[in-house]
Amino acid sequence: MTRAPEPSSGAERFDEDWARLLSGDHGTAVHPGLLDRLVSGTAGLLRRARSEVPFEPHLAAEAGAQLVEAQFTDPIVLARALELLQRQPTADDRGPALCGAFAAGWAAALRERTLREQEAIRTAADIARKGAEKALRASEARFRALFESAAIGIGIGDTDGNILAVNKALQELFGAGPEDMIGRRVGDLVHPEDADGVWDVYEELVSGKREYFQFDKPYYRQDGEVVWTHLTVSLIRDDDGAPQYQVAMLEDVTDRYRLQERLRHQATHDPLTGLPNRAAFFERLEKLFEDPDPGARFGLCYVDLDGFKVVNDSLGHDTGDQLLSAVAARLKAALSPLGHLVARLGGDEFVVLLENSRGEQEAVAAAKTVLKALAGPVLIGDHKLAVGASVGVLERRVSTTTPGAAVRAADLTLYRAKEAGRGRWTLFDPKENARAVSRYAVSVRMPAALDRGEFFIDYQPLYALADGRLAAVEALVRWRHPQLGVLGPDEFVTTAEETGLIMPLGRWVLEQACGQAADWIRRFGDAAPQLNVNLAVRQARSAALVGDLNRILDSTGLDPARLQLEITESTVVGPEDEALRTLHGLVEQGVSLAVDDFGTGWSNLAYLRDLPVSGLKIAGSFVGDLHDPAKDEETGWRIVSGLVSMAHALGLTVTAEGVETRRDAERLRVIGCDWAQGWHFGRPVRPAEIARRIAEEPQGRPVAVRGRAVTHGD
């Protein structure tokens, strides 16, 4: 445990103020020597509670309890003590917690002291009752004296619930005379805020099933005001043990209750906007899930302001705070009348909770109300600020999810709205949510997946259409994820790009694939196919790629002429792109380059003229669209034929992707396409299957290598 330094002047000033507070006239007489020890002891506890790390709330609670033990029970003492504590600096923002702990210790000690007094009174009442049976006059006098002079309210009733007697303190508590209370029934004293089960427990007591019970219970006074009490009800039995009377003792705890309510409000509400905070929102949300009806539904609108950071950065945090307060007021005014809870989760994030939702349309209507409420500009000082928002909308049956999962889903849906252009609402989509959760799971585990050996490579064959020979294989990385199963590159490469993990993963793929290709060449000689490896955009734009590839080729012994690297159209955005320098450096090492998925990006053949590429792969969607009944097939084939002709005019080898039928393969051969790959030729397989195919290849056929035909032995 550590203690934050506290300026000596601050500590001395606190001790002086504390001593002055306890030395005041509070109706409590304390010997000077005892008072000095009390001041010193409690001040020391509070100083430690203010400064020690971590925060020790029991120190402040002990200080409060010591005051009660020294007879400082006047609520005015508590109020002034809290005011003094709130003015004192703390090691961190623990002021409210320090005050709460001190007040809790004071209240608990006072309650314990009161309970001891109540127990003494109950015991005395019981003794008085028994004594009355033996010596009626003497015991009645003693009981009456105790009953009338007690500082807490006492009422006596029969087991039928009729009030038989009340003392003066109880009359003052209710602001009523004896004629207003005697003869009334206990059951008439119900209050809407009674604790759950209080009346069930009362029935158990008057029926003899229990001896006493205690609750904090509110009552209406004669003037209509509400008084909060700590209620203790005891059962009095006759000589045969049968229930005969009930004795109720009521202590006025209204001040303590109000203090607790203030502290609770501070703990559950945002101090800036006055809206319920994150803790209050989750408490309300979790209640919906405690015991829901089978068909119960709920909705969430997760709201995030658009461009709020710009306001903070340009106009300052004070203006930003005023804007948040104005937004909160608009949201509350628009949605609270509809019965929806509006809470601030933090920063510029708000949430709207729809309890007992009637369906998606109601949740969407709430989202539209949010956007409408924030449509007009907000006037802050001399600034007229335009404020917009994006809203993620979730509406579900309670039984289908959990509070945490629901909030995460709404949050992910919000970011889909942000990505779609902001200033809009987006409805929760289970499929999109599942993909987002999977992306998160992938990104969390990916950094260590390489070290755990979870990645492996399959190889898809590419065949020369002229003679049907295995010309090349494309290396395709896979991830054997322990929870999600085997993932294809489309399920994790984008995440790897975003996180930067594509760099070590790409190096690993090159090392493994080049090593495998070199092994095939050692085993099968020139019959081994060319190796194609995909380069991610970030890899292709890295100046370190040339050096990495040179090291890999040296270590594996692979001839660079047997390696083709595939880049996407988005790798180079123009003739001045820095990536061109890297690409030229790769070609200078002897490897070849091909453009993958041609037709999905800028599809500008003029760029191909400036790129150091020797191959072009037509995107599989071109071939797939040829069989779309909504599109003209012959026009599609003319487009493919034109692409092949233009690519050949540029000296490029053309590969068609996504070929799934013999008919498509034959037509591609007729129009001059060089190579093809797809399920017609084979799906991605393990290296052993590629080795089997190489071994079964007939020898002596022409082999297409980087766009020109050669024969074995050339």
Side-chain angles (χ1 to χ4, degrees), residues 103-161:
W106 187 90
L110 180 60
R111 182 172 182 172
E112 183 64 25
R113 181 171 175 269
T114 303
L115 290 176
R116 290 198 300 268
E117 291 179 353
Q118 290 178 349
E119 182 61 22
I121 292 172
R122 191 182 73 83
T123 303
D126 191 39
I127 293 173
R129 182 190 61 79
K130 292 178 180 178
E133 295 172 354
K134 297 179 181 179
L136 291 178
R137 287 192 177 183
S139 61
E140 178 66 22
R142 287 194 299 271
F143 177 77
R144 181 57 56 185
L146 177 64
F147 182 76
E148 293 295 340
S149 62
I152 64 174
I154 303 176
I156 301 175
D158 59 25
T159 54
D160 291 329

Side-chain angles (χ1 to χ4, degrees), residues 580-597:
L580 278 174
R581 189 174 302 170
T582 299
L583 299 181
H584 281 288
L586 295 173
V587 173
E588 289 171 2
Q589 289 192 44
V591 303
S592 60
L593 296 177
V595 176
D596 192 15
D597 287 331

Side-chain angles (χ1 to χ4, degrees), residues 108-109 114 330 365 474 485 537 562 592 650 675:
T114 303
R330 287 191 181 187
E474 181 178 354
V537 173
R562 306 299 292 271
S592 60
L650 293 171
W675 293 351

Side-chain angles (χ1 to χ4, degrees), residues 646-660:
M646 286 187 289
H648 283 166
L650 293 171
L652 305 178
T653 298
V654 181
T655 301
E657 298 180 296
V659 180
E660 299 185 6

Side-chain angles (χ1 to χ4, degrees), residues 32-214:
L34 295 177
L35 180 61
D36 290 343
R37 288 197 293 274
L38 178 66
V39 170
S40 175
T42 53
L45 288 170
L46 292 171
R47 284 199 306 275
R48 290 172 57 195
R50 280 203 319 274
S51 59
E52 287 191 350
V53 179
F55 177 47
E56 299 287 350
H58 69 86
L59 297 175
E62 176 61 21
Q66 287 186 15
L67 290 190
V68 173
E69 291 300 321
Q71 308 298 322
F72 287 83
T73 59
D74 190 337
I76 295 177
V77 176
L78 175 62
R80 292 179 178 174
L82 291 176
E83 291 177 2
L84 178 58
L85 289 176
Q86 288 174 344
R87 295 198 302 267
Q88 303 304 311
T90 60
D92 49 30
D93 190 19
R94 64 175 63 163
L98 177 65
C99 292
F102 177 82
W106 187 90
L110 180 60
R111 182 172 182 172
E112 183 64 25
R113 181 171 175 269
T114 303
L115 290 176
R116 290 198 300 268
E117 291 179 353
Q118 290 178 349
E119 182 61 22
I121 292 172
R122 191 182 73 83
T123 303
D126 191 39
I127 293 173
R129 182 190 61 79
K130 292 178 180 178
E133 295 172 354
K134 297 179 181 179
L136 291 178
R137 287 192 177 183
S139 61
E140 178 66 22
R142 287 194 299 271
F143 177 77
R144 181 57 56 185
L146 177 64
F147 182 76
E148 293 295 340
S149 62
I152 64 174
I154 303 176
I156 301 175
D158 59 25
T159 54
D160 291 329
N162 300 305
I163 299 176
L164 304 177
V166 293
N167 70 349
K168 185 178 180 180
L170 189 60
Q171 296 171 37
E172 292 175 350
L173 184 67
F174 279 83
E179 68 280 1
D180 299 315
M181 303 192 68
I182 295 175
R184 290 185 68 182
R185 295 187 58 80
V186 174
D188 296 337
L189 303 178
V190 173
H191 190 279
E193 295 185 50
D194 282 338
D196 293 338
V198 62
W199 291 103
D200 294 334
V201 173
Y202 172 78
E203 291 298 331
E204 292 178 2
L205 181 132
V206 296
S207 63
K209 295 179 181 178
R210 63 167 60 226
E211 297 302 314
Y212 75 97
F213 68 83
Q214 294 178 338

Side-chain angles (χ1 to χ4, degrees), residues 288-300:
L288 296 179
F289 288 78
E290 288 177 357
D291 188 22
D293 294 332
R297 305 184 70 88
F298 75 103
L300 292 177

Side-chain angles (χ1 to χ4, degrees), residues 659-667 680:
V659 180
E660 299 185 6
T661 67
R662 179 185 297 275
R663 176 174 175 270
D664 288 343
E666 176 59 21
R667 188 152 186 180
H680 172 65

